[in-house]
Amino acid sequence: MRTTTVIIGAGHAGLAMSRCLAERSIDHVVLERGEIANSWRTERWDSLRLLTPNWQSRLPGFGYEGEDPDGFRTMPETVDFIVCYARSIAAPVRAHTNVMSVRPRDDGYLVVTDRGDWNCRTVVLAAGACETARLLLNSKSGRFPNGVANSSGQVGRNLTDSVGFTVSGHVPALEGLPRHNADGVRGCVRAQAVSDDAIRDEIASTFRESGRIACPHTAVALRVLRELPAQERADREWVVVATAHPAKFDTVVEPIIGGTIAVPDTLAALLDQPAHAELIDARLDVLVTALKRGSQGRSR
């Protein structure tokens, strides 16, 4: 089979690319290992809601048209939004097609799947962080012995998928991978689950031992580090990077540590700023104008 572009992944990124290619009359196909919006269907918890209001959910040529623009979409509503988008743009999705590898060729790429191979000039990887790492590592050849885009050997070694505090912190796209990863991916990537109880215990232990307050996301990494074999911990230096302040999770963390989390001055100053929102077109020049207008308003 032959096409100009193969898009791997029928989530919002892959479908948005499909629409942009169709606008330019570029023939393509979208390969999806499950159904459209598969990760939303299979790797999210039922009570999930987006952190952005409905009016901000926009894809090329498509946006929210419901009666609750200031609401926050649920997981099933998000799936419906993505499925409706795929239908509205008539995306050429091949569902239940598992991509095994992507192999560079002189005239483009060979995309190997469990439903036949595709020859194409270009490939778009829109399969998410974990699934994309799997594909890159599986795509080994004489030209790329470590896999595509992995000359550093670091692809897949620094992945984490934090799913929140109410469910286990784990890497769902890496656990239970199909057997075609026997070519060495399992030797490069290790997934470990951290339970709710372990997260709570790690927050308490870290605070008790060092006085440091960890947010639930950071506690996942700290627990994985704590449970590594002693020799593995001693063989190298380890760094745990906290990307969220625990004040964001005050209702969770404060009961565990038995105290109040102090909000940093810079964050407190931001929280004291008046809130403002306006609907703008999805264009860079419009965004720049809005930012300048807002900056001028604050300087007065």
Side-chain angles (χ1 to χ4, degrees):
M1 295 176 284
R2 181 175 294 276
T3 187
T4 299
T5 299
V6 169
I7 301 172
I8 303 175
H12 53 279
L15 294 172
M17 177 58 74
S18 174
R19 202 264 190 177
C20 292
L21 291 177
E23 276 189 327
R24 292 160 177 78
S25 299
I26 298 175
D27 61 296
H28 65 281
V29 66
V30 182
L31 304 182
E32 170 56 53
R33 62 189 169 121
E35 299 284 348
I36 293 172
N38 192 68
S39 294
W40 288 96
R41 297 173 186 270
T42 63
E43 298 173 12
R44 304 292 184 267
W45 61 101
D46 293 340
S47 61
L48 174 69
R49 284 183 178 270
L50 296 190
L51 298 177
T52 50
N54 292 332
W55 64 265
Q56 285 190 349
S57 295
R58 282 173 284 174
L59 291 167
F62 194 77
Y64 179 78
E65 296 181 352
E67 298 178 353
D68 187 18
D70 295 321
F72 296 88
R73 185 174 292 123
T74 65
M75 185 270 292
E77 290 170 342
T78 301
V79 172
D80 289 342
F81 182 82
I82 297 173
V83 170
C84 288
Y85 182 60
R87 188 181 302 120
S88 72
I89 64 173
V93 177
R94 300 289 184 96
H96 302 290
T97 301
N98 197 14
V99 177
M100 320 291 268
S101 65
V102 177
R103 301 174 185 173
R105 304 178 66 169
D106 292 339
D107 58 348
Y109 296 90
L110 174 66
V111 180
V112 180
T113 84
D114 60 355
R115 294 196 170 190
D117 299 344
W118 286 85
N119 292 282
C120 60
R121 290 178 56 192
T122 56
V123 175
V124 177
L125 288 177
C130 296
E131 183 69 2
T132 294
R134 178 185 74 79
L135 291 172
L136 294 174
L137 290 170
N138 276 348
S139 302
K140 296 177 181 177
S141 64
R143 183 180 175 187
F144 299 103
N146 294 326
V148 174
N150 191 30
S151 60
S152 67
Q154 291 302 307
V155 170
R157 294 186 179 274
N158 304 287
L159 290 175
T160 181
D161 187 358
S162 179
V163 294
F165 187 72
T166 57
V167 294
S168 297
H170 65 300
V171 188
L174 291 180
E175 292 188 326
L177 289 176
R179 293 187 180 278
H180 62 260
N181 288 294
D183 59 0
V185 175
R186 288 192 181 280
C188 300
V189 179
R190 179 172 59 195
Q192 182 169 334
V194 180
S195 68
D196 288 357
D197 289 341
I199 293 173
R200 294 187 183 92
D201 180 71
E202 188 60 41
I203 293 173
S205 298
T206 298
F207 183 69
R208 183 172 59 252
E209 295 167 3
S210 66
R212 296 184 181 277
I213 305 175
C215 75
H217 302 288
T218 308
V220 171
L222 290 171
R223 177 48 58 104
V224 171
L225 178 60
R226 186 187 294 271
E227 293 181 351
L228 287 177
Q231 188 58 50
E232 187 172 356
R233 291 201 308 272
D235 283 346
R236 68 189 71 181
E237 297 291 331
W238 294 88
V239 176
V240 173
V241 180
T243 57
H245 194 280
K248 178 181 176 182
F249 307 92
D250 55 340
T251 59
V252 171
V253 177
E254 288 184 349
I256 296 175
I257 65 174
T260 302
I261 301 173
V263 179
D265 292 341
T266 52
L267 178 57
L270 288 174
L271 294 175
D272 287 339
Q273 293 291 324
H276 172 75
E278 63 178 282
L279 186 64
I280 62 174
D281 291 335
R283 300 201 328 264
L284 180 59
D285 60 322
V286 177
L287 173 61
V288 170
T289 299
L291 292 174
K292 289 180 177 179
R293 184 168 60 248
S295 177
Q296 293 170 353
R298 288 192 300 271
S299 63
R300 291 195 185 99

